[in-house]
Amino acid sequence: MPKKRCYYEIMGLAMDATDEDIKRAYRQLALSLHPDKNPDNQEMANNEFKVLQEAYEVLSDPRERKWYDKHRDAILCGQDRDDIVDKEVDVYPYCSSFCYQSFSDDANGFYTVYRNLFKTIADEDLPFRDSDDKDYEEIPEFGNSKTPYSDVHQFYSYWMSYCTAKTYSYFDKYNILDAPNRRVARLIEKENKKIRDAARKKRNEEIRSLVEYVRKRDKRVAENRRKLEAKAEENKRKSEMIRKQQIEARNKELENYQESEWTSMAALEDNLKEIEQHLDDEHNKKKKSKKSRKLVDNTDTIEDMNGENEDEDDNEYEDNLYCIACDKAFKSDKAFANHENSKKHKTNIAFLRQQLESDDQLIDNSGDS
């Protein structure tokens, strides 16, 4: 078996080479090793160019490069890349109460067991995490029984939406370097990606199920929930007390309320009756002297009978010929008598009475409440 060659050596790079260094080295070597540039030894050029492409495919991908750096020694010792499988902690046994003995910080206690477990999972992802990535964030720790709930909340917020950083490239079913053309290479890449995504999804679901199991049994979460419920109950009690105080204060104001004379609906109605009685008396007096009066002008008489004359002339209106309901004055007893028999006057009188009765009822209801 031929000895494996380091990808960094193939490209003439150091292990701390930047992405720009990798691109620059690939362009230079591709020009010199391309089969078209070596017509005298095309077989050697084909092999070297394929190895160069393989090295570039790995080192140009940040996650692939991290995986290669992690397993570089095993690969160079002759272990096949497809046989290298990243070990993952099996989380299934930890979804049981048998994995801890008590809710304490002892060696076999709830908080110690799960603190070590989540640290192991985080360490498995660490080689594949890019600290230069803008989405990179510090992984919160599980803590102990005395950890403040703000830190506990931060821990569960992160782990309940956990996404593994592993590439699962060892699950690839096909080698893209064996593709005879670009079309087949794209199909191979698509198929391999589907397999990797399925493995990544399975791992994410396993960890999230574990986090949900632990959260339901975490005494720190239960204690915080009790505090929130007690606080909500206290706020409810205070709100109810304030509401009762407001009702009592309103009732007290109503008890101490003294109706002003000018706001009394009963007094207003009595005044209205007095005015109507006064107008009736005046009307009767004028009616007795009606025979001694001259006939009024025909035009004025017709307009007064219709109740629609709104034009003023030089004659003065009688002070006592005034309708308070219609807010209108008249020149003669006949015009005033015709107006009283009109439909408009009767409608206004009925409306005014109804409004006064409605307001009086509203005041009575306010006093009862």
Side-chain angles (χ1 to χ4, degrees), residues 82-313:
D82 296 335
D83 295 334
I84 298 175
V85 178
D86 289 322
K87 293 181 180 180
E88 290 182 338
V89 60
D90 185 7
V91 300
Y92 179 75
Y94 293 92
C95 293
S96 170
S97 59
F98 292 105
C99 68
Y100 57 90
Q101 296 180 356
S102 63
F103 287 93
S104 66
D105 295 321
D106 296 340
N108 295 322
F110 178 87
Y111 299 102
T112 302
V113 170
Y114 286 110
R115 180 172 62 252
N116 295 335
L117 173 62
F118 285 107
K119 186 178 185 305
T120 301
I121 297 173
D123 290 341
E124 289 178 355
D125 283 352
L126 190 60
F128 303 95
R129 292 169 59 84
D130 188 359
S131 59
D132 297 330
D133 189 353
K134 63 180 181 180
D135 296 331
Y136 175 83
E137 59 178 317
E138 202 68 31
I139 299 179
E141 296 182 354
F142 186 71
N144 53 42
S145 60
K146 305 299 182 183
T147 300
Y149 185 75
S150 57
D151 296 339
V152 176
H153 176 73
Q154 185 179 6
F155 170 84
Y156 284 112
S157 296
Y158 173 86
W159 285 94
M160 289 181 72
S161 57
Y162 169 82
C163 290
T164 180
K166 296 178 181 178
T167 61
Y168 293 96
S169 58
Y170 50 83
F171 281 150
D172 287 354
K173 188 175 181 180
Y174 306 101
N175 190 345
I176 195 171
L177 298 176
D178 296 335
N181 52 55
R182 291 185 178 181
R183 178 178 173 276
V184 176
R186 284 195 295 269
L187 293 175
I188 289 177
E189 184 177 0
K190 182 178 180 181
E191 186 66 23
N192 288 339
K193 183 179 182 302
K194 185 186 300 183
I195 297 173
R196 294 184 187 187
D197 291 345
R200 189 179 296 108
K201 180 181 179 181
K202 179 182 177 183
R203 184 60 175 177
N204 291 339
E205 292 177 350
E206 289 177 352
I207 301 301
R208 292 173 188 175
S209 298
L210 169 70
V211 174
E212 185 64 26
Y213 175 85
V214 176
R215 185 175 182 273
K216 287 182 178 179
R217 290 153 181 81
D218 195 335
K219 299 296 184 181
R220 301 169 300 182
V221 177
E223 179 64 23
N224 182 73
R225 187 183 297 112
R226 283 194 292 270
K227 290 181 179 179
L228 293 178
E229 290 174 353
K231 187 175 181 180
E233 188 65 26
E234 178 65 15
N235 291 337
K236 182 180 179 181
R237 186 187 66 80
K238 290 181 179 179
S239 298
E240 184 65 20
M241 183 177 65
I242 293 173
R243 190 182 71 85
K244 289 181 178 180
Q245 291 176 351
Q246 291 175 344
I247 293 175
E248 292 175 358
R250 191 180 302 112
N251 291 337
K252 189 174 181 180
E253 290 178 358
L254 291 174
E255 290 174 0
N256 298 331
Y257 174 75
Q258 294 181 354
E259 186 178 31
S260 300
E261 185 178 355
W262 67 272
T263 60
S264 174
M265 292 298 105
L268 289 176
E269 187 171 1
D270 292 341
N271 291 339
L272 179 60
K273 290 180 178 179
E274 291 179 4
I275 294 173
E276 290 180 344
Q277 184 63 38
H278 175 72
L279 292 176
D280 289 341
D281 294 342
E282 292 293 331
H283 174 67
N284 291 332
K285 291 179 181 179
K286 292 292 181 180
K287 193 173 183 180
K288 291 178 181 180
S289 60
K290 179 176 61 173
K291 295 180 179 181
S292 62
R293 290 180 176 274
K294 294 181 179 181
L295 292 175
V296 295
D297 185 74
N298 291 336
T299 303
D300 292 336
T301 301
I302 295 173
E303 291 178 348
D304 291 336
M305 289 178 67
N306 294 331
E308 298 176 352
N309 183 19
E310 297 181 357
D311 296 331
E312 296 183 359
D313 54 20

